[in-house]
Amino acid sequence: MITRIELAEKENYYDAEGHAVQDGARDLGIRGITAVQAFRVYYFSGEITDRDKQHIAEMLLADRVTQDYAIDAPVPRTNSGQPWSVEITFNRGVTDMVAETALKGINDLGVQGVAAAKTARRYAFYGSLSQDEKEIIVQKLLMNKVVEHVLTPGEKLFFPATDPVFSLVHVPLLQAGDNELARISRERDLFLNIEEMRAIQNHFRGLKREPTDIELEMLAQTWSEHCSHKTLTGLVAYEGAIIDNPLKQTIFRVTHELNKPWCVSVFKDNAGVIEFDEDYNICFKVETHNHPSAMEPYGGANTGIGGVIRDPLGTGLGAKPIINTDVFCFGPVDLPMEQLPKGVLHPKRVMQGVVAGVRDYGNRMGIPTSNGALFFDERYLGNPLVYCGNVGIMPKDKCEKTVVAGDHIVVIGGRTGRDGIHGATASSGELHSESEGTWSGAVQIGNPIVEKKLVDTLLQARDLGLYRAITDCGAGGLSSAIGELASTTGAEVDLEKVPLKYHGLSYMEIWISEAQERMVLFVPPEKLDAALVLFASEDVEATVIGRTTSDHKIRLRYHGTLVGELDMAFLHEGLPRIVRQAKWEAPRIVNTEFAPPADPGAVLRRILAAPNVCSKEWVIRQYDHEVQAGSALKPLVGVENDGPGDACITRPRLDSYRAIVLSNGLNPKYGLIDPYWMAASAIDEALRNIIAVGGSLQHTALLDNFCWGNADKPDRLGGVIRAAQACYDMAKVFETPFISGKDSLNNEYKTESGESIAIPPTLLISAISVMADCRKAVSMDLKKPGNSLYAVGLTKNELGGSHYLELVGQSSAAVPHVDAAAAKKTFLALTRAMEQGLVRACHDCSEGGLAVALAEMAFAAGLGAEVSLRDVPKSAEVVRPDQALFSESNSRFVVEVAPENESAFCAVMAGVPAGRLGQVTAEPKLHITGFAGDVVLDEETIELKQAWQEPLRW
Amino acid sequence: MKPNVLVLRAAGSNCDQDAHFAFQYAGANAQLIHVNRLLDGDARLQDFQILVIPGGFTYGDDISAGKILANQLKYKLADQLLAFHAADKLIIGICNGFQVLVKAGLLPQMDLKAPQSVTLTNNDSGKFEDRWVYLKVNKSPCVFTKNVKSLVYYPVAHAEGKFVVRDDQVLNLLKQNRQIVFQYAAPDGGQPVYPQNPNGSMLDIAGICDATGRILGLMPHPERHIDPTNHPHWTREGLAQEGDGVAIFRNAVNYFR
């Protein structure tokens, strides 16, 4: 028997969801709707008495103050007219966490007889709609077919448990020719190239047997670009030489050469670890979740943040997650619907879904999301980028794992389902217009509360010393987790012991499933009972699935039958190293001649309203950035808490003022001109953001995240190599080591016509810095009329890739460079000035240059500024005010200094390019005069602020 | 005597450590206790003087905010709660904890059997919002706000914080008993507009107590404003002696001195 219980807001209460749907339909150009009502629907299977149904509805599901309910009937509504009604539910096998919670609640009520639960959403539309419009509403607004479908009357919702008939599958490989090998790789979605397939064939020829499907899958996953980073750790032919392991030659090398004593563990664990204070270390990791987010933005981003939280949790013996970061790159959100390529979700929908996904996971985990960025470009249309980062903190004696033979392998947390099969290998291929259909198995939806319980219990188990090693189940699932963690010993696993969400998984699916919220522990036999009791005490599932061994093999059994056995050595070192070609040629960019703008004020307003510059408050407010109570400088600052802060400062220990500063740098527009200067600029931007809030270079580390087009193509790989070289050169001078990184090198999208569109070269640099006393922090909002303003750092005529040139439709190859030695001098001087308390406000000049920095500082304070460009430190070729206002030269700041501190400030800045701009005014106007005292710009700051806030005020 | 504080954890609690710190800072002896320990008898409410239900998303807020934990209190821990309250002890619910208190029937009046008369429902904006709000602190029997200044500044962070009542009678009773402890306000203490009232609450209500003043529920987070560096404007206005939230916890501790 199926019971259906439907809920709706009472008609005298505001139906926020219904209104949101109505607004969304209007955005899609659908005008005929007069009202929308939203309903939540629960289905239960089992024999349930009428009294119990009513009990469940009244005591559990409905809020009797605001909601009506109906059992086995629609909730009656008084609207006149017959609505069009559509009901949407999850596809079979997709996580339905509300249904799981409902079952728990029913159990708490003591109601018997409910066997299973499922949820749905119903919407009633009033007004007139054509068939086409209904289809658009369903497909573009209400659901994503990758995870959901429209419920049809009489559709079967619950399925009896059936297990597949076991049969061990061997894949005939030994006799296969190259064509056959390629076919096997393709048809099994292994994404292995021919050299790799041949290496596997040779290995099994030596063993004189055919591989099983699970062995092949494990190799494909371990050797995937996602897990092995084979491109950047491989051999690359570039400019007439072979680079053996480009990462090692650049990013690892600079860290090694800098040899900072506070770097604890770099490039080996799940996150990079640095020292925080006498008692604690902190770790930081940033990951991408691009392809899943392109297909299912909510689930993709949701599991992106969920996944990266498990990285610090799986670092050392486990770190407590304390800060999230997120950086997204999308197509233009105002793209007309008719220009949307087939099979691609609209960027606005992608953005809304991604933000909601990060919000719902991060907020539920109780981790502040305090730093991030957004970037828009058409080339991200088919291939959005979703970077998620997490910082963790752990006691100093919990930073190392020990792996020995004879420990129990315990999987804890979520159950294993068919979700995320082939995620690791799929992310190594290109997306195409049919991706939605073909890879739906790779899409997952997270359950943050399962992960929160994991964190709560794991940290207790860690402190009690109940396990010796830990890692997360991410890409590649158990296969990757156990394969890597036991690589120095060996392991055997009984796959039927892995707890499953539902019946029907094959042994192979169990092993490679990427189901979320799972961690793997190696538990000493004498600690097993205590560990299992602890996890059970907070309702966390923990199951012994195998043992570590000493024979350096991974051995997989299913109900006693050996289904796979691989040598750890072949698994981890058998990947053939092929030589990839790399080439970079500077694009031909014309330096166009153009007249200065007649109205620079209008240009400034338009730059402030550009998607990459405008306020991101709509996103930031939806994240809890105060939880854990250590926020000392927030992402939004100023008198009305809405100005754009340069970096966030967080106190991880509430009894101390020692703090963590986080920032990021990203500028793909420069990458289209020269990836070297893009990388240099991103590093400079991340570091100057740290400096701007009162941090220093001294205890600062960097993370690199490369997202590029298909790196099998030489021009793409050439760009990566150039960017990596800049990482070395810059970090070396700034003395800021890299501690962790990740790359995603297949971000291309194949259109219907077969054209392959690559994303712009995109390097995200994240910076993490330890600040001795956060009470020295400085925010970017102007503080007091009468204070002086200074420009610090040299302005050059570097308009290439600038927002200004894009806006006026001109081009220049003069991408901003970084003079790292000069920049370092500037940074050090500014840090000294801040430590001495000489600085009242500081903001870096980035997108939009000096003009945007001044405008933001003024409107964040509700004040104004009177400024002259005459004494702006500038190079000789800066001869026009528009160049001084809008050049995006690196390593520059605007600084506010109180009159009584001016001479001390100037003394500290001696030898650094710095010039007095003017002063802060009470009158809320930005007034700028040119080199000869002529008025260049005179704008009301309130109007500048409106221009800046308007675009993303959704 | 240092009062013993039970900070109640459940799956999805996430402000438990912040509340724990706030009470420790205010001079209490605070302990984090999982609800399962109360259910299995390992821990007993009677050993404590103050019960805290902290913020978070208990059980994911999957059915509605705080509902599952509320039902656990209501159906499994009712006797302990009644005895606790009758023994002149204190209960505070913050954010998700406030949602739990109204859904379990501890607010506006300790009556676990009565039908729910007030609730916290979806924000008018339809989404989760994190922002700092000014709060007017009314004269009330509330133990936690004794001598607290008339306007305080705390952050809110929620999606379901709109306070609504079943009918006018409920509202009148709240007014009559002076149970409306906190109201959202403009920066000068005057009538707020959105987003000063961040969720559309009736009468701008941000927190209420029971008629005895010993049970307090509020949506804003005083435990996130313990240190002066939490204040969003400290880089403009300088550092205060301590955050606006401290007084709430100190009052609770002092009640047992």
Side-chain angles (χ1 to χ4, degrees):
Chain A
M1 277 296 288
I2 307 291
T3 301
R4 181 180 185 281
I5 299 178
E6 184 173 275
L7 311 170
E9 296 300 301
K10 284 186 200 283
E11 290 185 294
N12 54 337
Y13 283 104
Y14 182 69
D15 176 4
E17 193 186 355
H19 279 90
V21 170
Q22 197 175 346
D23 292 347
R26 200 183 313 115
D27 281 356
L28 290 169
I30 295 168
R31 308 272 165 210
I33 300 170
T34 54
V36 181
Q37 281 163 346
F39 303 82
R40 167 89 66 98
V41 185
Y42 292 84
Y43 290 95
F44 300 103
S45 71
E47 296 303 318
I48 314 169
T49 66
D50 286 347
R51 203 182 142 273
D52 280 346
K53 288 179 188 176
Q54 196 184 342
H55 205 54
I56 292 169
E58 291 191 356
M59 302 300 174
L60 180 66
L61 302 181
D63 185 322
R64 303 296 307 284
V65 178
T66 58
Q67 290 181 316
D68 293 323
Y69 72 90
I71 296 170
D72 295 327
V75 174
R77 299 280 88 168
T78 55
N79 281 42
S80 59
Q82 187 62 32
W84 168 61
S85 175
V86 59
E87 193 169 326
I88 290 170
T89 191
F90 285 119
N91 296 340
R92 200 177 158 190
V94 173
T95 302
D96 184 348
M97 59 184 176
V98 179
E100 289 169 27
T101 305
L103 287 177
K104 157 146 187 81
I106 289 168
N107 189 44
D108 284 347
L109 287 176
V111 169
Q112 309 284 322
V114 180
K118 193 167 176 74
T119 66
R121 298 176 279 133
R122 185 167 79 86
Y123 301 93
F125 292 83
Y126 294 86
S128 62
L129 286 168
S130 69
Q131 200 51 43
D132 280 357
E133 286 175 330
K134 290 177 184 174
E135 190 60 23
I136 289 170
I137 287 171
V138 168
Q139 296 299 336
K140 305 259 180 235
L141 190 62
L142 298 182
M143 63 157 227
N144 184 340
K145 66 181 178 187
V146 174
V147 287
E148 293 161 315
H149 64 276
V150 172
L151 201 63
T152 50
E155 177 182 323
K156 194 170 173 182
L157 290 166
F158 299 99
F159 298 86
T162 49
D163 270 321
V165 179
F166 170 70
S167 78
L168 181 57
V169 178
H170 284 93
V171 181
L173 210 65
L174 301 192
Q175 308 303 327
D178 280 357
N179 285 344
E180 177 66 3
L181 290 176
R183 188 186 63 79
I184 292 169
S185 173
R186 194 175 57 244
E187 288 183 357
R188 290 187 166 267
D189 281 338
L190 300 177
F191 291 93
L192 292 170
N193 64 36
I194 194 66
E195 286 90 347
E196 291 158 351
M197 287 300 289
R198 280 197 215 118
I200 294 172
Q201 185 182 48
N202 278 338
H203 180 75
F204 281 93
R205 278 180 178 160
L207 296 175
K208 298 189 171 50
R209 67 173 176 90
E210 299 286 5
T212 63
D213 55 351
I214 198 170
E215 289 169 334
L216 216 43
E217 288 284 351
M218 189 175 183
L219 286 162
Q221 166 268 305
T222 308
W223 292 3
S224 69
E225 179 62 50
H226 190 101
C227 294
S228 73
H229 301 277
K230 56 194 172 191
T231 302
L232 293 189
T233 57
L235 302 166
V236 176
Y238 180 67
E239 294 185 343
I242 298 284
I243 307 175
D244 182 351
N245 195 336
L247 274 186
K248 200 170 167 188
Q249 300 294 340
T250 57
I251 286 164
F252 299 174
R253 183 171 140 216
V254 71
T255 300
H256 182 73
E257 289 176 2
L258 290 172
N259 194 24
K260 293 288 179 188
W262 44 266
C263 282
V264 178
S265 159
V266 292
F267 296 110
K268 63 172 198 193
D269 211 327
N270 288 310
V273 185
I274 62 171
E275 188 174 45
F276 177 68
D277 64 10
E278 286 158 19
D279 308 315
Y280 289 92
N281 290 331
I282 50 177
C283 57
F284 192 12
K285 175 65 170 275
V286 178
E287 278 270 16
T288 52
H289 224 213
N290 305 334
H291 292 191
S293 302
M295 290 182 276
E296 213 299 276
Y298 182 87
N302 195 256
T303 53
I305 191 72
V308 82
I309 290 167
R310 291 193 300 277
D311 278 320
L313 196 58
T315 296
L317 291 173
K320 177 190 171 192
I322 53 170
I323 311 170
N324 286 336
T325 67
D326 60 1
V327 174
F328 309 136
C329 301
F330 300 123
V333 286
D334 53 359
L335 186 85
M337 268 296 170
E338 56 275 14
Q339 288 177 27
L340 193 67
K342 187 176 168 244
V344 167
L345 297 174
H346 191 275
K348 183 170 181 182
R349 188 164 174 215
V350 174
M351 176 163 156
Q352 287 172 328
V354 164
V355 170
V358 169
R359 173 195 69 201
D360 287 355
Y361 210 103
N363 290 354
R364 275 172 175 70
M365 288 296 292
I367 303 167
T369 302
S370 307
N371 187 258
L374 270 176
F375 191 83
F376 301 93
D377 187 287
E378 277 182 12
R379 280 154 286 208
Y380 295 114
L381 202 51
N383 213 133
L385 301 184
V386 173
Y387 296 93
C388 295
N390 181 265
V391 179
I393 187 164
M394 61 185 138
K396 281 189 167 168
D397 61 347
K398 304 292 182 196
C399 295
E400 295 291 336
K401 316 177 198 295
T402 324
V403 177
V404 299
D407 279 358
H408 293 285
I409 300 175
V410 178
V411 61
I412 65 168
R415 291 185 157 215
T416 298
R418 204 168 268 130
D419 24 7
I421 302 274
H422 279 160
T425 50
S427 74
S428 308
E430 285 181 21
L431 290 172
H432 47 83
S433 53
E434 273 141 33
S435 294
E436 281 183 56
T438 47
W439 285 343
S440 57
V443 173
Q444 314 143 61
I445 291 182
N447 186 341
I449 299 308
V450 172
E451 186 143 309
K452 181 68 170 72
K453 290 196 292 182
L454 262 185
V455 173
D456 291 349
T457 47
L458 265 175
L459 297 180
Q460 294 175 54
R462 176 198 72 186
D463 292 343
L464 292 168
L466 299 183
Y467 55 87
R468 256 196 277 259
I470 181 172
T471 198
D472 65 305
C473 285
L478 290 169
S479 169
S480 176
I482 297 172
E484 277 177 36
L485 196 58
S487 61
T488 55
T489 54
E492 51 188 29
V493 175
D494 292 302
L495 294 166
E496 76 283 359
K497 291 186 178 160
V498 176
L500 302 180
K501 291 183 182 176
Y502 37 80
H503 292 254
L505 271 72
S506 74
Y507 60 91
M508 194 261 283
E509 290 173 317
I510 293 170
W511 188 233
I512 64 166
S513 159
E514 296 183 6
Q516 295 293 304
E517 289 97 24
R518 301 177 301 164
M519 302 287 288
V520 169
L521 304 179
F522 289 178
V523 178
E526 70 277 12
K527 301 282 172 72
L528 183 65
D529 287 347
L532 296 181
V533 165
L534 172 65
F535 291 119
S537 77
E538 297 193 11
D539 309 317
V540 173
E541 197 157 19
T543 312
V544 177
I545 61 168
R547 288 293 272 261
T548 52
T549 60
S550 56
D551 63 358
H552 304 282
K553 286 184 193 301
I554 180 93
R555 201 174 295 110
L556 306 171
R557 287 184 297 254
Y558 187 67
H559 290 293
T561 304
L562 188 69
V563 294
E565 186 177 68
L566 285 171
D567 286 330
M568 286 292 190
F570 179 66
L571 183 64
H572 293 292
E573 287 144 39
L575 174 64
R577 298 185 81 205
I578 58 172
V579 177
R580 289 178 174 79
Q581 300 297 322
K583 192 179 78 171
W584 187 77
E585 276 174 23
R588 267 185 225 112
I589 295 170
V590 184
N591 294 319
T592 53
E593 299 280 336
F594 62 99
D599 183 359
V603 172
L604 173 58
R605 281 198 303 271
R606 287 175 64 200
I607 294 179
L608 286 167
N612 293 330
V613 178
C614 73
S615 170
K616 310 301 185 299
E617 183 170 352
W618 180 84
V619 179
I620 297 166
R621 285 257 174 262
Q622 295 189 60
Y623 302 146
D624 193 339
H625 42 262
E626 299 284 347
V627 64
Q628 300 197 18
S631 158
L633 193 68
K634 301 163 203 307
L636 293 167
V637 299
V639 72
E640 290 181 352
N641 305 332
D642 56 6
D646 287 288
C648 72
I649 304 182
T650 310
R651 292 182 306 131
R653 298 181 67 172
L654 297 181
D655 58 356
S656 161
Y657 285 107
R658 205 171 172 83
I660 298 168
V661 193
L662 283 186
S663 69
N664 67 76
L666 174 96
N667 209 325
K669 283 190 196 300
Y670 302 164
L672 294 163
I673 300 175
D674 187 340
Y676 183 93
W677 292 114
M678 170 189 72
S681 297
I683 291 170
D684 189 88
E685 183 183 8
L687 292 176
R688 67 183 188 250
N689 279 324
I690 299 266
I691 302 301
V693 298
S696 76
L697 288 180
Q698 219 168 52
H699 197 138
T700 299
L702 302 175
L703 274 65
D704 62 280
N705 282 83
F706 291 85
C707 284
W708 242 261
N710 182 354
D712 287 339
K713 301 177 184 170
D715 61 324
R716 322 287 207 241
L717 187 54
V720 181
I721 300 295
R722 247 183 106 66
Q725 189 57 47
C727 288
Y728 174 85
D729 294 345
M730 296 296 131
K732 180 84 179 182
V733 177
F734 289 124
E735 295 188 67
T736 49
F738 285 89
I739 55 166
S740 171
K742 197 93 196 210
D743 49 80
S744 168
L745 302 182
N746 276 293
N747 295 290
E748 302 217 3
Y749 177 81
K750 204 163 261 154
T751 63
E752 268 186 300
S753 60
E755 190 194 355
S756 194
I757 300 173
I759 61 163
T762 311
L763 172 64
L764 170 67
I765 296 290
S766 307
I768 182 167
S769 181
V770 176
M771 188 175 186
D773 185 347
C774 70
R775 290 171 298 184
K776 301 261 185 194
V778 171
S779 59
M780 52 73 69
D781 45 310
L782 294 180
K783 301 301 186 302
K784 194 175 163 197
N787 281 354
S788 288
L789 292 170
Y790 283 81
V792 172
L794 195 63
T795 300
K796 303 172 201 161
N797 187 20
E798 295 177 314
L799 289 172
S802 70
H803 279 75
Y804 173 48
L805 283 203
E806 183 175 278
L807 203 77
V808 295
Q810 304 293 331
S811 64
S812 162
V815 65
H817 287 206
V818 177
D819 179 343
K824 188 179 181 186
K825 228 172 136 186
T826 302
F827 294 173
L828 293 177
L830 207 45
T831 298
R832 266 199 307 281
M834 290 197 185
E835 278 169 358
Q836 292 174 26
L838 304 175
V839 173
R840 287 297 282 132
C842 182
H843 194 24
D844 84 315
C845 299
S846 56
E847 288 139 322
L850 180 64
V852 165
L854 280 166
E856 290 176 342
M857 293 174 83
F859 64 59
L863 296 173
E866 226 169 58
V867 167
S868 159
L869 298 177
R870 194 189 61 196
D871 295 328
V872 171
K874 54 189 181 292
S875 61
E877 76 275 19
V878 177
V879 291
R880 288 178 13 186
D882 57 333
Q883 296 162 343
L885 288 172
F886 302 123
S887 164
E888 298 183 5
S889 290
N890 284 300
S891 326
R892 295 182 305 150
F893 305 86
V894 175
V895 178
E896 178 187 348
V897 182
E900 64 270 24
N901 290 324
E902 270 189 88
S903 58
F905 176 76
C906 292
V908 172
M909 299 311 283
V912 168
R916 192 170 180 280
L917 282 168
Q919 61 171 347
V920 181
T921 59
E923 191 191 8
K925 271 184 137 180
L926 182 58
H927 183 85
I928 301 181
T929 53
F931 306 135
D934 49 315
V935 176
V936 174
L937 185 155
D938 188 44
E939 295 284 319
E940 303 281 343
T941 51
I942 187 74
E943 283 174 21
L944 296 174
K945 186 173 185 178
Q946 272 165 4
W948 179 73
Q949 287 186 324
E950 192 57 35
L952 287 181
R953 195 188 265 153
W954 288 351
Chain B
M1 163 200 109
K2 271 192 175 188
N4 290 326
V5 178
L6 189 159
V7 181
L8 187 67
R9 292 170 51 224
S13 304
N14 65 30
C15 306
D16 46 330
Q17 297 192 359
D18 315 356
H20 180 267
F21 178 83
F23 269 107
Q24 291 286 111
Y25 181 86
N29 171 34
Q31 284 182 55
L32 295 163
I33 306 274
H34 197 281
V35 67
N36 285 358
R37 302 293 76 74
L38 289 179
L39 295 174
D40 64 22
D42 258 20
R44 296 175 309 176
L45 267 182
Q46 65 184 61
D47 297 331
F48 297 85
Q49 282 75 45
I50 301 169
L51 169 65
V52 188
I53 308 180
F57 292 79
T58 45
Y59 304 97
D61 284 356
D62 288 338
I63 307 279
S64 73
K67 185 71 179 184
I68 300 280
L69 182 58
N71 274 0
Q72 288 182 317
L73 298 185
K74 186 171 173 154
Y75 296 113
K76 298 186 166 180
L77 296 166
D79 293 347
Q80 284 199 52
L81 281 166
L82 288 167
F84 188 83
H85 188 239
D88 197 23
K89 293 177 174 181
L90 300 179
I91 299 175
I92 180 172
I94 302 167
C95 195
N96 196 239
F98 185 20
Q99 294 160 338
V100 170
L101 292 180
V102 302
K103 290 177 186 181
L106 274 78
L107 283 175
Q109 222 44 258
M110 183 94 159
D111 187 346
L112 304 175
K113 297 238 159 50
Q116 194 180 325
S117 63
V118 308
T119 198
L120 294 150
T121 189
N122 297 320
N123 297 351
D124 277 352
S125 69
K127 58 181 187 282
F128 184 100
E129 289 186 50
D130 173 333
R131 57 172 80 249
W132 284 70
V133 291
Y134 291 94
L135 297 165
K136 205 168 67 170
V137 186
N138 297 319
K139 296 234 174 310
S140 76
C142 182
V143 169
F144 296 87
T145 53
K146 198 175 150 195
N147 299 324
V148 169
K149 57 184 180 175
S150 57
L151 194 68
V152 292
Y153 201 34
Y154 297 155
V156 290
H158 60 248
E160 295 175 53
K162 178 181 175 175
F163 184 88
V164 295
V165 297
R166 192 179 51 210
D167 51 42
D168 286 349
Q169 208 187 338
V170 176
L171 205 56
N172 287 335
L173 213 59
L174 284 175
K175 287 193 237 174
Q176 207 180 316
N177 292 336
R178 296 185 307 156
Q179 286 175 255
I180 301 169
V181 180
F182 292 105
Q183 283 171 292
Y184 301 111
D188 61 2
Q191 185 65 35
V193 292
Y194 175 81
Q196 293 159 343
N197 172 344
N199 48 36
S201 285
M202 279 182 176
L203 283 183
D204 309 309
I205 293 174
I208 59 169
C209 64
D210 74 338
T212 70
R214 286 186 281 109
I215 305 179
L216 171 65
L218 73 166
M219 288 311 297
H221 288 274
E223 83 284 13
R224 296 185 183 181
H225 193 184
I226 299 300
D227 195 86
T229 59
N230 290 136
H231 196 297
H233 302 153
W234 75 265
T235 56
R236 301 185 64 76
E237 295 158 5
L239 289 165
Q241 274 297 315
E242 61 183 18
D244 282 359
V246 176
I248 301 290
F249 304 97
R250 194 171 285 140
N251 274 328
V253 171
N254 287 343
Y255 191 68
F256 298 96
R257 286 229 161 112

